[in-house]
Structure formats: structure tokens, C-alpha cells
Amino acid sequence: MIGVMRRLKRFFNSPSRRAFVLTLDHGASDGMLPGLMHMTRLLEEIGTRPVQGVVLNRGMARAYATKVASDVQVVVQLSAGTKHGLPTYMKSLVCSPGEALRVGADAVCIHLNIGNDLEDRMLADFGSACEDAHQLGLPVMAVIYPRGGQIVNERDPSLIGHAIRMGGELGADLVCTPLPLDPRSFADAVEACPAPVLVAGGPARQDFEQFLVELNVALECGVMGACVGRNIFQHPDPIRALEMVAAVVHGPDAIGC
């Protein structure tokens, strides 16, 4: 596990000891999204800003990993599903940890949704992929959402707490979940998790300032950073949005604001 620990440490080498991960893997699920049509500029820009990681599907990693700065960790997404499939919350393994390593991964990401009729398959996929990744020395980031037929409110505090706990129990090295409606319960779950917890950015928000407020609340709850995608690449000024998120995660001095 020495390789896992060394690579995991790189996510938290910033002075703030927090991680800001830019997620750009949405094209597989949502198709031709605005903001992801031309990814090269965004990938080149992050090298001069305090971004610790970028999440890519394996095809994009193979094509563009060389454009990512050497101190930014390439996180290859192992799972996928589309918005057209039924059910839409199903995620299947589409890449092995070995292939992820071959296309330049410093870590891997696995997305699973709990609270539905297919969670057993996603949990089994997570277990096998996590074991294979650790054999290769790759840290595993588990993105866990309460989502599916049994879920009424995806931001229910008890469900988010369960998602965080599951990530820790199953051996993830990083756990990423949405921010619940009750920050106090979120803080309890974060504190009890043996792995660092990152908060997910979620859908693009019309009120970007409110999004930054909620992100700051999550950081006050003890999370070790954020995974943000659509609230950056779908923003009218993605580079400025990236800088504003970085300023919240790392502090304004990190980007000279």
C-alpha cells in the first residue's frame, strides 16, 4: 500500500492541505455538453492554478493526459452509464485499473449509487475494482450518491452520512458525496470516516455565489476539499469560476485574489 499512500499524499500537498479536483468525465453520461466541447484549453489552464486533480474517462485521458501539468493528478473514471439508459442511475465498470494505469492514471474513480435495485452490482464492481487498483498502487476515489427507486430525497442527511460511512467501510482512499441539508450531521459523518471526504459540486447552479457559500459550509464541516465539474465548465467564464472555487477551497492567497 506504499504506492497508494504516496500517490494519495500528492492530493494534499498544497499549503491548505486540501484537495481541489476538477471533474470532466460528464461527456460519457450526458453527451455533447456545453463547456466540454473543447477541453484542451481548460486542461492547459489548470496547470497554473491550485488544482490537485482532474477526473477523465480513459479515452480522454489517453488523448489529453500529456496536456495536464505534472503536479496535477490524473484520476481515471472506471465506471459509466448514460442519461438515456434505464435505469439512469446504473453505473457499470467500463475500464480496468490496469488500463487506467496504462493511459496515465495517478488514481482511479468509481461511481456507485445506493438505495436502488442495482446497488448490489455496483457494490460488487466497486469491491473488485478497488482491490485491483490497490494491487497496482493506485488510490481509489469513491463517488457515492443516494440515488434510485428507494430514494426520496438525495440530500437526506442520514443517507449522505450512510454514503460517507460506506466509502470508509469499503476501503476507499477518498470519498466524494453531495452536501446534505443538515451540515451538523454531515460534520459527524466526515469526522467518523477514516478516509478524507470531498464534497461534490453537483448540477450547474444559476446562483454561483450561493454555490460558493454552500461549498464553504462543507469545508467548515471538515471536508478535505471539493470535486467540482459542471459549476465550472458550464459557467459563462470557466477559468474565473475555477479561480473562485480554488479561492474558497485553498484561501484567496492561493491564486492571488
Side-chain angles (χ1 to χ4, degrees), residues 57-80:
N57 289 303
R58 68 170 170 177
M60 294 302 185
R62 185 172 57 224
Y64 301 127
T66 57
K67 297 184 179 296
V68 179
S70 59
D71 59 344
V72 177
Q73 310 308 300
V74 174
V75 184
V76 173
Q77 175 64 263
L78 303 185
S79 49

Side-chain angles (χ1 to χ4, degrees), residues 5-247:
M5 291 185 289
R6 284 177 57 84
R7 290 182 173 95
L8 182 62
K9 186 178 179 181
R10 295 172 193 161
F11 284 91
F12 303 100
N13 276 342
S14 67
S16 71
R17 295 293 184 265
R18 290 173 174 166
F20 172 21
V21 178
L22 177 63
T23 55
L24 299 177
D25 59 335
H26 302 74
S29 59
D30 293 337
M32 303 293 283
L33 278 179
L36 289 183
M37 300 294 289
H38 305 287
M39 294 174 54
T40 53
R41 181 186 171 220
L42 196 53
L43 290 172
E44 290 168 350
E45 289 282 354
I46 64 176
T48 61
R49 291 166 175 82
V51 177
Q52 283 64 54
V54 57
V55 180
L56 299 169
N57 289 303
R58 68 170 170 177
M60 294 302 185
R62 185 172 57 224
Y64 301 127
T66 57
K67 297 184 179 296
V68 179
S70 59
D71 59 344
V72 177
Q73 310 308 300
V74 174
V75 184
V76 173
Q77 175 64 263
L78 303 185
S79 49
T82 77
K83 64 180 181 180
H84 310 294
L86 291 176
T88 56
Y89 50 76
M90 177 58 190
K91 299 292 182 180
S92 299
L93 285 180
V94 295
C95 180
S96 69
E99 174 65 5
L101 187 62
R102 286 188 287 272
V103 299
D106 301 294
V108 296
C109 178
I110 308 171
H111 186 141
L112 59 151
N113 296 314
I114 62 171
N116 57 72
D117 294 342
L118 296 172
E119 77 166 29
D120 60 330
R121 289 178 55 185
M122 286 182 271
L123 289 172
D125 284 348
F126 176 84
S128 62
C130 187
E131 181 176 351
D132 291 344
H134 285 165
Q135 289 285 343
L136 296 171
L138 292 173
V140 175
M141 179 167 73
V143 178
I144 308 178
Y145 285 13
R147 181 173 292 169
Q150 310 303 317
I151 304 301
V152 176
N153 179 6
E154 294 183 3
R155 296 182 67 186
D156 182 298
S158 65
L159 294 174
I160 299 294
H162 195 162
I164 292 172
R165 185 72 183 199
M166 176 168 285
E169 294 278 356
L170 297 185
D173 304 293
L174 290 167
V175 181
C176 181
T177 67
L179 178 68
L181 298 175
D182 179 7
R184 288 173 298 176
S185 67
F186 188 59
D188 291 340
V190 169
E191 183 179 7
C193 185
V197 178
L198 308 180
V199 67
R205 303 277 290 275
Q206 289 188 344
D207 189 343
F208 188 73
E209 293 296 330
Q210 181 59 32
F211 166 69
L212 296 178
V213 169
E214 293 183 14
L215 177 57
N216 190 62
V217 169
L219 293 167
E220 291 175 350
C221 291
V223 301
M224 297 295 292
C227 293
V228 184
R230 286 169 289 182
N231 279 289
I232 291 175
F233 66 75
Q234 290 191 312
H235 190 277
D237 186 347
I239 303 303
R240 179 57 183 156
L242 185 148
E243 291 176 341
M244 293 172 74
V245 171

